[in-house]
Amino acid sequence: MTEDFLHYLWQNRLFDFLNVHTTSGEPLHIFAPGMHNFDAGPDFRQAVVQIGDIKWVGDVEIHIHSSDWFRHNHHNDEKYKSVALHVVYEHDMEVERIPGEFFPTLELKSYIPEGMWTQYQYLVDSLELLPCRSYLPDFRPIHLRALLSSVAMERFLRKQDDIMAIHAQCHADWNETLFRQLATSFGFKTNATAFELLARSLPFRVLSRHTDSQLQVSALVFGQAGLLDVPHIDSYYDSLKYEYDYLRYKYQLEPIGRHHWNQLRLRPSNFPCLRLSQLAVLLCRTPDLLSALLVRQSVEAFRQLFSVDADPYWERHFHFGQETILPHGVALGETAVDLLLVNAVIPVLFAYHRFFGNQSMLEPTVALLEQLPFEDNRVTRVFRDTPFPNKTALDSQALIELLHRYCKEKRCMECSVGERIVREIGNP
């Protein structure tokens, strides 16, 4: 038995609540279970119950055993003096409110349908990432769509909180905020941390002073990445190092270490030097990137904005000084651009519009994900062969949130699918 399950039962009154009595034999009427409290203090606030002939408005505390009251040290906490009812799975001892007066207690053990606990236990104890898989065909598409819509909005709001934390670190500078989020996303999964460290070490206000010179912006980017740390490699490297040594001294910059970059087991298109050069070119080609993003309204317009090629040097290099036999493409591919839109651009625009109260722009911003293709990755493949929608990036983002924030954390009772399995199948 878990307290989360008992909270769910109490909040939704999924027990024989019309015929319950306290452990002392008094009839108990539950008019309102109260508001679930996620802060310190009793589990439910402002519940309305009648015990015998007396109607109470107060708090409810829920435990597996009555003795948990003492194990959780509630007897020494003033916040629990307002408890009107102690709800437990098993009543193993009396709990005194004051000497000689005991808290009214409801023991749920004999009132819970056995099948509900069995189904709940199956879901939370399963080793499968998706323990509800076999039940999903029984759900109507509209139910699954509603779940994904709700979870997708949770993901937007959670990302907004993350972006606003960056915004605060950037002293409320939205250009700096966008640069940090975008740079981190340029690292994709393997080098996201290195790109984030780079962005933190290189203020956007410094870069913006040099966007008329691609050589200088590239020097700043590669230099702060810690990749211009040897005396000589070739003429292109030397020109970058010459510029960087001057700019580093001018702005008192401190580069990150070369060791932060992962260059093993990567596709050539994801090699750090190529991505760094693409980022530098993008910043030079569109110096006022935030303004450019705000006036665009379609995915195609965003894709055109991000269609950049790295410096021609990289057509025959993946690393400084190591020339390849054949030339190769240096363009930022469409798949990479789409990932940047999903992970950086759209979340920043959503946070920006909410920050400034541009309510009319929120729905069009979210709808941009519906213009992008479904993401095929290890997370979304967990939902393969299920009836969950899988057409757009809005679907894939919702599924990623669902797996990480609900399925993996066993929050089945907070998911409408798991809740229905326990409620309807466990209590036919």
Side-chain angles (χ1 to χ4, degrees), residues 120-160:
Y120 172 80
Q121 202 170 27
Y122 166 75
L123 291 176
V124 299
D125 290 346
S126 174
L127 298 178
E128 296 291 331
L129 277 176
L130 202 61
C132 59
R133 183 185 298 274
S134 62
Y135 297 99
L136 291 175
D138 297 330
F139 284 79
R140 296 172 58 192
I142 192 172
H143 184 111
L144 300 179
R145 168 57 67 189
L147 171 61
L148 288 199
S149 296
S150 173
V151 174
M153 186 51 61
E154 287 181 28
R155 186 167 179 83
F156 265 104
L157 295 175
R158 185 176 59 78
K159 285 191 171 187
Q160 176 198 333

Side-chain angles (χ1 to χ4, degrees), residues 204-261:
F204 181 77
R205 58 180 172 77
V206 171
L207 279 169
S208 62
R209 295 172 185 171
H210 299 275
T211 50
D212 58 342
S213 169
Q214 184 174 312
L215 180 65
Q216 290 184 334
V217 170
S218 296
L220 284 167
V221 168
F222 280 101
Q224 284 304 106
L227 301 179
L228 300 179
D229 56 350
V230 296
H232 168 74
I233 291 182
D234 57 28
S235 59
Y236 179 65
Y237 175 91
D238 291 347
S239 62
L240 291 177
K241 182 170 175 53
Y242 177 81
E243 293 289 342
Y244 176 66
D245 287 344
Y246 165 72
L247 294 169
R248 178 183 179 181
Y249 175 78
K250 178 179 180 179
Y251 296 112
Q252 295 297 293
L253 298 174
E254 189 63 36
I256 68 173
R258 178 186 288 265
H259 63 277
H260 290 292
W261 299 96

Side-chain angles (χ1 to χ4, degrees), residues 100-121:
E101 180 182 328
F102 301 106
F103 280 107
T105 303
L106 169 63
E107 184 183 62
L108 286 175
K109 182 166 60 175
S110 59
Y111 298 113
I112 301 174
E114 183 177 348
M116 292 184 67
W117 169 245
T118 301
Q119 289 288 39
Y120 172 80
Q121 202 170 27

Side-chain angles (χ1 to χ4, degrees), residues 87-107:
V87 177
V88 301
Y89 176 71
E90 186 172 32
H91 182 55
D92 60 348
M93 68 178 297
E94 297 291 350
V95 177
E96 283 188 324
R97 185 197 305 273
I98 57 175
E101 180 182 328
F102 301 106
F103 280 107
T105 303
L106 169 63
E107 184 183 62

